[in-house]
């Protein structure tokens, strides 16, 4: 990221006096470590007539990610690549503002012992920011850039940068090339950039300080209070900074929730369905999770499956149950969560298994909403309590990956029956059983979904209850067994594409 500050000279003062104001000698190129990379200050020109200082911030995207990781829990595997391949090294974001604040600290305060009169005087200035993020749309784009800088006395040239100059049809990117011209105090100009770069930057910040409001007031002294966009500026400036604090809080909250969930899930899963007669209750009750695994194993046995993939295997309880079945020769467990897979590996004692046993089982990380060649060639696939964790708009992608691409002979799907929730004593009315559930379907909804998938991909489907089948609300868990019949239209169409 890059920005230049230029000024012109006058008879009584050479332009290169800019060096005094910035506290950086025009004859030298200097580098300063900042928290996000090296900041270089150098002068492409430093004459009597004109002087230009350049600030170049060399961002270390890998370092950014590592630092982010160290603080939070985990990181986001889904967006692993986006963390490294992004605009951070190129676009003048809030990180440039941070560097500006670090490298030109004294200049921002308007301090200059050698040329105090110069520091206090408005100077003819030109500031360029070749790549400035400014999301298009109502609250962005070149228009917003003008609304932010013009009231401060700048002449603003903000040209949208085309997405790709070779393909003008593609339109403009969300970046503009900015040139500001005006006669302002250098300290004011720097302070304005310090505040407005983060306001224009739409991505999240990697830093936060507790005294941001005070700082904004300090840096905004003399220009911010009367700015017509005061509300937008403060909202965005502070929201960006607070977003990190908030997201840290959210992460902690999520971690806490996740742990509570595991307990809650265990409680509900191990709860005894309340439909039992007294006589049944005297016998040792079977937890729902155990009943569910038994129902799945039974469905696989009925289908004659020997090679099974457990999609969304979680912590491996079904994998363990499948390995107890002698007729099942091979089990592949797939989950997107490396944490869950780690627990599964420990629980299954993968490291201590006999070679023969180990040859039967494999755990791999994968996302079910993407086609995956590793999932092809199995007799059967199981989606046990998984579909309700997938955002409804992503569900068709999972359907295609499983029924269209992997296409096992049998697919067993289980999901909660929302109607049964009124029977759980521990579940407040209107609540789902698990905070990560994106939906819970009643019997009609599940049937409609299953039939539509079966029709679309050339499967037949049969339904079975798991747990006590309540005459009014049905069973706690619903199970569907899909059996492949003919070649589906979708698969053929996909093959033709
Ligand atoms: N099948 C297990 C776990 C159910 S919990 C059981 O019956 O006990 C749901 C699991 O699905 C979680 O482990 C979650 O990580 C996984 N999951 C959710 N969405 C996924 C996706 N898109 N790709 C892969 N796994 C996913």
């Amino acid at each position: 990221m890059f920005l230049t500050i230029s000024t012109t000279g006058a008879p009584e003062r050479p332009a290169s006096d800019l060096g005094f104001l910035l506290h950086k000698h025009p004859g030298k190129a200097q580098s300063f470590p900042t928290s996000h990379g090296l900041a270089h200050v150098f002068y492409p020109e430093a004459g009597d007539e004109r002087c230009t200082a350049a600030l170049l911030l060399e961002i270390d995207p890998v370092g950014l990610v590592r630092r982010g990781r160290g603080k939070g829990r985990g990181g986001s595997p889904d967006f692993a690549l986006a963390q490294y391949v992004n605009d951070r090294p190129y676009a003048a974001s809030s990180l440039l503002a941070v560097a500006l604040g670090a490298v030109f600290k004294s200049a921002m305060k308007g301090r200059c012992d050698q040329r105090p009169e110069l520091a206090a005087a408005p100077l003819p200035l030109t500031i360029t920011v070749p790549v400035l993020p400014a999301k298009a749309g109502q609250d962005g784009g070149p228009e917003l850039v003008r609304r932010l800088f013009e009231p401060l006395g700048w002449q603003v040239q903000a040209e949208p940068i085309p997405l790709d100059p070779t393909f003008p049809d593609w339109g403009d990117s969300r970046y503009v090339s900015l040139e500001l011209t005006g006669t302002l105090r250098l300290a004011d100009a720097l302070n304005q950039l310090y505040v407005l770069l983060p306001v224009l930057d739409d991505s999240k910040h990697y830093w936060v300080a507790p005294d941001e409001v005070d700082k904004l007031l300090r840096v905004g002294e003399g220009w911010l209070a009367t700015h017509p966009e005061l509300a937008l500026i403060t909202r965005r400036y502070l929201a960006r900074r607070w977003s990190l604090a908030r997201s840290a809080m959210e992460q902690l909250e999520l971690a806490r929730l996740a742990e509570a969930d595991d307990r809650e899930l265990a409680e509900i899963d191990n709860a005894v369905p309340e439909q039992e007669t007294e006589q049944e209750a005297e016998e040792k009750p079977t937890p729902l999770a155990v009943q569910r695994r038994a129902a799945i194993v039974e469905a696989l046995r009925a289908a004659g499956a020997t090679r099974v993939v457990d999609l969304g295997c979680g912590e491996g309880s079904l994998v363990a149950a499948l390995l107890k079945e002698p007729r099942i020769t091979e089990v592949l467990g797939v989950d997107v969560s490396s944490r869950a897979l780690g627990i599964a590996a420990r629980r299954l004692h993968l490291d201590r298994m006999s070679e023969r046993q180990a040859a039967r089982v494999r755990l791999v990380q994968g996302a079910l909403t993407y086609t995956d060649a590793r999932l092809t060639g199995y007799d059967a696939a199981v989606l046990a309590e998984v579909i309700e964790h997938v955002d409804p708009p992503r569900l068709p992608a999972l359907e295609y990956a499983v029924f269209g691409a992997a296409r096992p002979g049998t697919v067993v799907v289980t999901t909660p029956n929302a109607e049964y929730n009124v029977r759980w004593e521990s579940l407040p009315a209107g609540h789902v059983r698990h905070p990560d559930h994106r939906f819970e379907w009643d019997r009609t909804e599940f049937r409609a979904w299953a039939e539509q998938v079966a029709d679309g991909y050339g499967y037949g489907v049969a339904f079975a209850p798991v747990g006590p089948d309540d005459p009014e609300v049905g069973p706690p868990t619903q199970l569907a067994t899909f059996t492949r019949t003919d070649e589906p239209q979708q698969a053929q169409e996909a093959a033709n594409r």
Side-chain angles (χ1 to χ4, degrees):
M1 357 178 145
F2 192 63
L3 104 86
T4 65
I5 304 168
S6 310
T7 188
T8 46
E12 72 284 9
R13 85 178 155 78
S16 56
D17 275 1
L18 182 63
F20 287 113
L21 293 181
L22 291 173
H23 300 247
K24 302 285 176 282
H25 196 287
K28 285 199 290 194
Q30 302 179 61
S31 302
F32 307 88
T34 76
S35 45
H36 303 101
L38 264 189
H40 306 278
V41 179
F42 55 93
Y43 292 75
E45 55 182 343
D48 291 349
E49 302 286 306
R50 257 184 85 81
C51 178
T52 298
L55 170 66
L56 180 132
L57 178 60
E58 225 182 333
I59 284 288
D60 168 15
V62 175
L64 268 186
V65 173
R66 294 232 173 95
R67 229 183 336 273
R69 277 259 168 84
K71 287 182 192 136
R73 250 172 63 105
S76 160
D78 282 349
F79 304 111
L81 195 57
Q83 289 185 314
Y84 294 99
V85 184
N86 56 37
D87 70 358
R88 306 311 281 181
Y90 316 107
S93 66
S94 53
L95 300 182
L96 188 61
V98 178
L100 202 70
V103 172
F104 298 131
K105 206 172 196 155
S106 308
M108 279 177 66
K109 293 199 174 120
R111 249 195 45 222
C112 182
D113 296 342
Q114 287 100 334
R115 299 282 188 282
E117 73 296 339
L118 207 55
L123 297 178
L125 295 174
T126 301
I127 290 172
T128 66
V129 185
V131 185
L132 176 71
K135 198 176 60 165
Q138 205 188 2
D139 247 353
E143 182 43 40
L144 176 63
V145 178
R146 275 189 285 274
R147 264 161 53 210
L148 290 176
F149 286 99
E150 275 175 356
L152 299 169
W154 294 106
Q155 261 183 19
V156 178
Q157 249 188 300
E159 300 298 333
I161 300 175
L163 208 48
D164 187 328
T166 335
F167 301 102
D169 297 358
W170 290 6
D172 292 328
S173 67
R174 63 185 194 90
Y175 303 96
V176 301
S177 143
L178 175 69
E179 186 181 292
L180 302 172
T181 324
T183 304
L184 281 89
R185 253 176 24 113
L186 180 68
D188 286 339
L190 294 174
N191 287 331
Q192 292 162 7
L193 289 169
Y194 181 79
V195 172
L196 297 179
L197 290 178
V199 165
L200 284 162
D201 178 11
D202 201 39
S203 23
K204 73 169 177 232
H205 286 241
Y206 294 87
W207 44 280
V208 68
D211 59 343
E212 289 298 346
V213 178
D214 292 349
K215 195 173 197 172
L216 178 61
L217 294 177
R218 211 161 51 235
V219 175
E221 208 183 295
W223 62 272
L224 182 58
T226 52
H227 198 296
E229 297 293 345
L230 172 67
L232 178 135
I233 293 169
T234 47
R235 177 166 46 81
R236 284 209 188 183
Y237 179 90
L238 292 173
R240 296 274 173 271
R241 283 150 204 250
W242 281 344
S243 72
L244 185 72
R246 202 171 50 221
S247 87
M249 258 157 52
E250 273 167 11
Q251 277 189 27
L252 285 176
E253 181 67 4
L254 279 178
R256 199 187 55 73
L257 260 182
E259 275 158 31
D261 283 0
D262 287 350
R263 273 199 308 275
E264 229 171 82
L265 184 66
E267 266 167 34
I268 284 199
D269 251 11
N270 295 319
V272 186
E274 286 142 31
Q275 280 300 294
E276 312 205 346
T277 62
E278 273 178 22
Q279 185 201 346
E280 276 170 338
E282 270 170 22
E283 296 160 13
K284 198 167 163 43
T286 313
L288 181 57
V290 175
Q291 296 187 41
R292 188 162 53 228
R293 284 195 291 275
I296 293 167
V297 169
E298 179 47 40
L300 293 172
R301 191 180 302 144
T306 62
R307 304 180 63 237
V308 178
V309 48
D310 183 9
L311 302 170
C313 62
E315 298 175 1
S317 54
L318 180 67
V319 173
L322 293 173
L323 289 175
K324 288 198 187 117
E325 296 293 303
R327 60 169 302 148
I328 292 185
T329 57
E330 199 180 325
V331 183
L332 174 68
V334 184
D335 204 286
V336 75
S337 159
S338 49
R339 180 180 151 270
L341 289 172
I343 296 173
R346 276 199 301 280
R347 278 204 185 158
L348 293 165
H349 302 298
L350 281 192
D351 53 338
R352 282 183 270 145
M353 265 182 184
S354 69
E355 241 172 71
R356 223 179 105 245
Q357 194 67 335
R360 289 172 71 204
V361 57
R362 223 150 39 92
L363 300 177
V364 299
Q365 191 172 21
L368 303 174
T369 46
Y370 295 90
T371 57
D372 187 337
R374 294 173 301 182
L375 307 186
T376 53
Y378 286 85
D379 300 330
V382 180
L383 285 160
E385 308 294 286
V386 171
I387 56 170
E388 65 274 12
H389 291 267
V390 176
D391 273 328
R394 299 293 294 148
L395 209 49
L398 178 144
E399 292 158 20
Y400 178 71
V402 176
F403 295 89
R407 274 192 87 57
T410 303
V411 182
V412 180
V413 178
T414 72
T415 195
N417 165 23
E419 291 164 88
Y420 193 87
N421 289 354
V422 295
R423 294 281 186 263
W424 295 119
E425 241 168 25
S426 52
L427 200 66
H431 277 57
V432 294
R433 297 181 197 178
H434 191 293
D436 189 47
H437 284 180
R438 310 301 153 97
F439 56 84
E440 277 175 2
W441 282 333
D442 60 27
R443 284 168 293 173
T444 317
E445 288 168 317
F446 181 54
R447 272 171 190 270
W449 172 80
E451 275 157 12
Q452 165 245 311
V453 169
D455 281 355
Y457 290 101
Y459 281 77
V461 61
F463 301 91
V466 179
D469 199 354
D470 185 291
E472 218 178 298
V473 297
T477 297
Q478 25 191 1
L479 181 148
T481 306
F482 297 77
T483 309
R484 195 177 63 210
T485 51
D486 47 64
E487 277 308 301
Q489 248 184 321
Q490 270 91 338
Q492 269 165 14
E493 277 167 17
N496 293 340
R497 252 181 260 137

